[in-house]
């Protein structure tokens, strides 16, 4: 009898949806409703449907909180689920605008002991088991829809076993095709290629690690490669130094419009608008500059192309005979490795020799290049062109280049001040602004910092660069141990 009841209720809901869609189309024609008004109306309608289904015992309930662009308010953090000792609960709240049976989830990661790539296989109670990925398998075999998972007071829940470098993949309307190659390589979607079967699928990633040593639990919303779905994270037991929330909660359309508005103000707006990956008029995703450069959607020599822009950032700070760092000190105190303070000297061939104090270690960085892989690509992608490094384990060269690039991404270079992680933290308020130490031409063109990062960080804490933590320590939420009440919440924002 319960199946008949279920069928009748769902049939009634489906009929209501059909009638609603007809009425919505008529309303648009007759009343001239805006897209934003109709989206809000649909969200409220869908929320009411969820309430009715919940009343009948067929799904989680819903609380409708309209989004006000003039006063954005984050959604409430999801309440606690049932806890299972030794497992990390992940509570998912679906505010996407799609029903639970149209939101797909698959989890990948590495075994913390063997480091072998794996899928998480869930049983009917939402309990996950790490399964080694083997050739011939596909993510489709381990994919669930939200409605497959047990209900909580606010959404759905599953339980993670220990997992390193975990990725929770959310996709709308269909699951992701990710085959396994030899020996255990899960082939991720090539989101830049229209030949990839996942190209037109709206998907995104939330990262989570749950391991036995060090910081036991760490999570973040990431847009290092691209942004497509707003994901807003929560941790119930943050350790000292951790935020409680991470990610974006704004509707997808708002985030895209916000970025487009910011890009339109840039002198080189044509380049920044190329970060929108489209299929016709449809925005598929917003690409990071590094990924866009790798596909030649964005100028591969953006930071060193005086022929295109009448100015070269690299020449201004580095290569030119009168560049800033030929007439000012280039000093960095690295946060790891030897912890030395390094002083850089630009050589006649434009390599830079860094000498550490007090150690005397020598690190040499390659000269800028406009051939692939270009210096612009290296900076935006976090790739370190080190010629030589005699520090122990060649660790200091990475630390030097990493710190220098982070400061460039934020717009703090050039500066006569000594770069360091504390210096970055102390100057968050002037990130992504025009640097007054640039020449007049440099200040009037560009910008030469990462406008993509500015567009997303102006809305919330989300990874936008390969090594964003020194710039934005708030991007990662973490707990040093799994407490009896520890859980992660992920609210999926509106995808319209």
């Amino acid at each position: 009898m319960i199946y008949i009841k279920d069928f009748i209720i769902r049939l009634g809901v489906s009929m209501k949806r059909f009638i609603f869609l007809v009425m919505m189309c008529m309303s648009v024609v007759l009343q001239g409703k805006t897209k934003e008004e109709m989206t809000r109306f649909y969200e409220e309608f869908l929320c009411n449907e969820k309430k009715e289904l919940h009343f009948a015992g067929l799904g989680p309930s819903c609380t409708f909180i309209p989004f006000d662009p003039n006063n954005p308010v984050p959604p409430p953090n999801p309440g606690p689920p049932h806890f299972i000792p030794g497992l990390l609960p992940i509570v998912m709240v679906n505010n996407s605008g799609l029903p639970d049976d149209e939101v797909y989830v698959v989890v990948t990661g590495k075994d913390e002991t063997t480091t072998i790539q794996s899928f998480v296989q869930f049983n009917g109670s939402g309990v996950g088991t790490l399964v080694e990925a083997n050739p011939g398998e596909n993510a489709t075999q381990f994919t669930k829809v939200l409605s497959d998972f047990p209900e909580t007071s606010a959404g759905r829940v599953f339980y993670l076993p220990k997992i390193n470098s975990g990725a929770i993949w959310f996709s709308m309307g269909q699951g992701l095709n990710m085959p396994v190659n030899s020996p255990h390589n899960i082939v991720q979607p090539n989101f830049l290629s229209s030949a990839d079967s996942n190209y037109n699928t709206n998907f995104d990633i939330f990262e989570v690690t749950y391991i036995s040593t060090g910081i036991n639990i760490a999570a973040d919303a990431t847009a290092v490669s691209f942004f497509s779905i707003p994901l807003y994270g929560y941790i119930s037991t943050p350790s000292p130094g951790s935020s409680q929330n991470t990610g974006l909660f704004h509707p997808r359309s708002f985030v895209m419009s916000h970025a487009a508005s910011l890009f339109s103000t840039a002198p080189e707006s044509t380049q920044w608008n190329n970060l929108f990956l489209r299929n016709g008029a449809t925005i598929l995703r917003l690409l990071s500059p590094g990924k866009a450069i790798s596909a030649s959607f964005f100028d591969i020599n953006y930071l060193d192309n005086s022929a295109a822009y009448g100015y070269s950032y690299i020449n201004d700070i580095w290569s030119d005979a009168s560049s800033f760092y030929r007439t000012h000190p280039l000093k960095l105190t690295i946060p790891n490795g030897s912890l030395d303070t390094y002083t850089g000297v630009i050589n006649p061939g434009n390599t830079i020799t860094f000498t550490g104090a007090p150690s005397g270690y020598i690190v040499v960085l390659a000269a800028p290049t406009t051939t692939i892989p270009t210096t612009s690509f290296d900076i935006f992608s976090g790739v370190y062109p080190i010629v030589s490094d005699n520090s122990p384990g060649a660790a200091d060269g990475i630390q030097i280049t990493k710190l220098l690039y982070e400061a460039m991404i934020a717009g703090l270079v050039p500066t006569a001040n000594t770069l360091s992680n504390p210096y970055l933290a102390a100057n968050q308020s002037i990130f992504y602004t025009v640097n007054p130490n640039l020449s007049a031409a440099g200040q009037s063109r560009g910008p030469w910092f990462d406008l993509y990062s500015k567009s997303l960080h102006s809305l919330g804490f989300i990874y936008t660069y390969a090594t964003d933590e020194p710039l934005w320590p708030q991007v990662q939420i973490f707990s040093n141990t799994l407490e009896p009440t520890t859980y992660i919440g992920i609210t999926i924002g509106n995808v319209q």
Side-chain angles (χ1 to χ4, degrees):
M1 289 297 293
I2 190 168
Y3 297 110
I4 297 174
K5 177 184 176 184
D6 185 359
F7 172 76
I8 292 171
I9 291 172
R10 291 186 183 276
L11 178 63
V13 167
S14 297
M15 288 300 295
K16 283 177 64 180
R17 261 189 213 163
F18 174 74
I19 294 170
F20 165 77
L21 290 172
V22 173
M23 293 177 64
M24 184 172 72
C25 293
M26 292 176 62
S27 178
V28 169
V29 173
L30 298 177
Q31 299 182 34
K33 293 285 188 182
T34 66
K35 178 182 178 182
E36 289 73 19
E37 289 173 319
M38 297 314 301
T39 297
R40 180 178 298 188
F41 184 41
Y42 179 70
E43 289 173 355
E44 186 170 8
F45 168 81
L46 187 62
C47 187
N48 288 333
E49 278 191 313
K50 286 185 177 182
K51 288 179 181 177
E52 291 187 25
L53 290 169
H54 176 71
F55 181 74
L58 298 175
S61 188
C62 176
T63 301
F64 176 66
I65 302 175
F67 178 77
D68 181 356
N70 298 314
N71 183 32
V73 176
N77 295 320
H82 168 70
F83 293 95
I84 301 176
L87 298 177
L88 176 63
I90 307 293
V91 178
M92 300 165 291
V93 179
N94 181 17
N95 290 345
S96 69
L98 297 180
D100 286 1
D101 59 3
E102 293 182 24
V103 178
Y104 291 73
V105 182
V106 67
V107 182
T108 63
K110 295 180 180 179
D111 184 289
E112 69 168 335
T113 302
T114 66
T115 71
I116 290 175
Q117 291 190 33
S118 305
F119 293 105
V120 177
Q121 189 170 56
F122 296 101
N123 66 16
S125 299
V127 174
T129 303
L130 212 59
V131 177
E132 184 178 285
N134 291 305
E137 294 178 337
N138 195 297
T140 55
Q141 298 168 242
F142 303 92
T143 299
K144 300 288 187 180
V145 290
L146 286 185
S147 55
D148 289 333
F149 294 110
E151 298 172 34
T152 68
S153 59
R156 305 280 181 171
V157 64
F158 63 73
Y159 299 87
L160 278 184
K162 298 287 176 58
I163 185 171
N164 200 359
S165 304
I168 304 173
W169 301 75
F170 293 98
S171 59
M172 303 294 127
Q174 62 182 20
L176 295 171
N177 174 27
M178 295 193 290
V180 181
N181 287 345
S182 179
H184 307 284
N185 179 43
I186 301 172
V187 181
Q188 297 186 4
N190 182 355
F191 54 86
L192 297 169
S193 172
S194 59
D196 191 285
S197 61
N198 304 290
Y199 183 71
N200 290 301
T201 301
N202 186 11
F203 72 92
D204 220 316
I205 309 166
F206 191 89
E207 297 178 323
V208 61
T209 287
Y210 170 37
I211 55 177
S212 304
T213 58
I215 296 176
N216 286 175
I217 300 161
D220 63 81
T222 179
V224 171
S225 296
F226 64 88
F227 167 82
S228 190
I229 298 174
L231 300 171
Y232 189 63
Y234 163 77
I235 190 166
S236 61
T237 59
S239 291
S242 170
S243 303
Q244 193 156 39
N245 294 98
T246 182
L248 305 185
F249 58 85
H250 312 70
R252 183 182 196 267
S253 58
F254 179 87
V255 177
M256 298 300 186
S257 295
H258 175 76
S261 177
L262 191 61
F263 294 170
S264 70
T265 66
E268 316 309 335
S269 59
T270 299
Q271 284 301 319
W272 293 99
N273 283 328
N274 287 339
L275 298 186
F276 289 105
L277 185 63
R278 302 174 185 269
N279 183 357
T282 301
I283 296 176
L284 299 177
R285 50 196 64 94
L286 176 61
L287 302 175
S288 66
K291 292 300 182 183
I293 289 175
S294 72
S296 298
F297 297 145
F298 192 87
D299 184 359
I300 64 173
N301 287 306
Y302 180 75
L303 300 177
D304 194 9
N305 194 342
S306 56
Y309 313 119
Y311 169 83
S312 165
Y313 172 77
I314 296 298
N315 282 349
D316 199 1
I317 69 167
W318 187 338
S319 303
D320 194 78
S322 59
S323 70
F324 185 90
Y325 283 123
R326 290 185 187 274
T327 56
H328 297 79
L330 172 54
K331 300 184 72 174
L332 310 92
T333 300
I334 59 175
N336 294 294
S338 69
L339 306 180
D340 273 9
T341 295
Y342 276 84
T343 299
V345 175
I346 302 176
N347 301 312
N350 288 325
T351 58
I352 304 179
T353 298
F354 285 94
T355 304
S359 70
Y361 297 137
I362 302 294
V363 175
V364 179
L365 264 58
T369 178
T370 55
T371 59
I372 297 174
T374 67
T375 299
S376 295
F377 171 79
D378 287 348
I379 292 170
F380 280 119
S381 302
V383 177
Y384 311 129
I386 299 165
V387 174
S388 62
D389 178 357
N390 69 356
S391 68
D396 284 10
I398 293 174
Q399 294 298 316
I400 290 168
T401 318
K402 176 175 171 291
L403 179 56
L404 180 62
Y405 284 5
E406 287 160 357
M408 288 178 173
I409 287 294
L412 299 181
V413 169
T415 179
N417 296 308
T418 300
L419 296 174
S420 65
N421 278 10
Y423 179 80
L424 298 182
N427 286 280
Q428 271 192 354
S429 63
I430 59 170
F431 284 0
Y432 316 123
T433 57
V434 175
N435 191 314
N437 293 322
L438 294 174
S439 66
Q443 294 182 49
S444 65
R445 306 299 304 174
W448 313 111
F449 53 78
D450 186 357
L451 198 56
Y452 168 82
S453 288
K454 179 176 183 175
S455 71
L456 297 182
H457 277 299
S458 61
L459 298 177
F461 299 124
I462 182 171
Y463 267 96
T464 60
Y465 185 62
T467 56
D468 231 5
E469 281 180 70
L471 295 171
W472 300 99
Q474 307 96 322
V475 295
Q476 188 178 75
I477 54 178
F478 60 88
S479 179
N480 292 330
T481 57
L482 179 69
E483 304 290 345
T485 58
T486 299
Y487 67 98
I488 299 289
I490 305 172
T491 299
I492 307 167
N494 187 280
V495 299
Q496 307 302 319

